[in-house]
Amino acid sequence: MSTKTKETSARREVLDSSDKSFSNVFSELGRHQLALVVEGTSALCRSSEALRKIQQDAAHEASVFHEETAQKLFTPCQPADLMAIQSELMRFCLQSSGKYWQQILAQAMQTQVEMMRSVSQVLKSEKDTGLKSPLEVLQAAMPPLASSLFPMNAYVADGQTVHH
């Protein structure tokens, strides 16, 4: 009877350990996904601050220029001077709007690069450690048909597959 009890308790330990490892895979997957989301959110927040700074600088520059231009227009001037002021106003508006949009687009690209770099570093570090990621463990646990329909591949920036 004690042999049967030992066999039953050994089976329970195996089942309990497999349940723990399977639940551990899901908790690791959740932790991993949450870490990626939080890191991405951090990059977006930094980008938002940078975008606000670009907007604030552009607004300040435009405010100063328009105030100075208004002061010039409140004083009497010759028609040629008026044309020069209008020309300078037009030049400033075109030049500053081009500079503004160039800075906005550069910041957007910088944000995308930061986000992709953080994801690539996480995926590359998983590959370098030789440990299976939660995605790989889940894919191994999937039935063959499901894994062929839903491949879990991740690519680093240079196009190499990290998870097969």
Side-chain angles (χ1 to χ4, degrees), residues 1 4 9 15 34 38 53 56 61 69 74 84 88 94 97 107 110 112 116 118 122 131 140-141 144 160:
M1 202 168 186
K4 195 173 188 179
S9 65
L15 288 174
L34 185 59
V38 169
K53 177 84 170 105
Q56 183 178 9
E61 187 179 320
T69 304
F74 281 124
E88 181 64 19
L94 291 174
S97 66
Q107 182 58 47
Q110 170 92 21
Q112 288 177 343
M116 292 306 297
S118 67
V122 169
L131 298 174
Q160 296 176 346

Side-chain angles (χ1 to χ4, degrees), residues 95-113:
Q95 186 176 9
S96 64
S97 66
K99 177 183 166 187
Y100 171 79
W101 284 110
Q102 185 178 22
Q103 289 175 336
I104 292 291
L105 292 174
Q107 182 58 47
M109 289 182 70
Q110 170 92 21
T111 302
Q112 288 177 343
V113 166

Side-chain angles (χ1 to χ4, degrees), residues 21-92:
S21 66
F22 193 68
S23 66
N24 190 28
V25 167
F26 280 113
S27 68
E28 282 298 305
L29 180 61
R31 183 190 60 76
H32 187 74
Q33 288 176 342
L34 185 59
L36 288 174
V37 167
V38 169
E39 192 168 5
T41 303
S42 175
L44 285 174
C45 290
R46 286 190 307 273
S47 175
S48 179
E49 288 177 335
L51 289 172
R52 298 284 187 247
K53 177 84 170 105
I54 291 168
Q55 291 172 335
Q56 183 178 9
D57 291 346
H60 176 72
E61 187 179 320
S63 174
V64 169
F65 176 80
H66 284 90
E67 181 66 33
E68 290 170 357
T69 304
Q71 292 303 319
K72 289 178 188 176
L73 290 171
F74 281 124
T75 60
C77 60
Q78 298 295 319
D81 294 335
L82 182 58
M83 290 290 285
I85 291 172
Q86 287 177 334
S87 175
E88 181 64 19
L89 187 60
M90 181 76 115
R91 184 206 54 81
F92 174 82

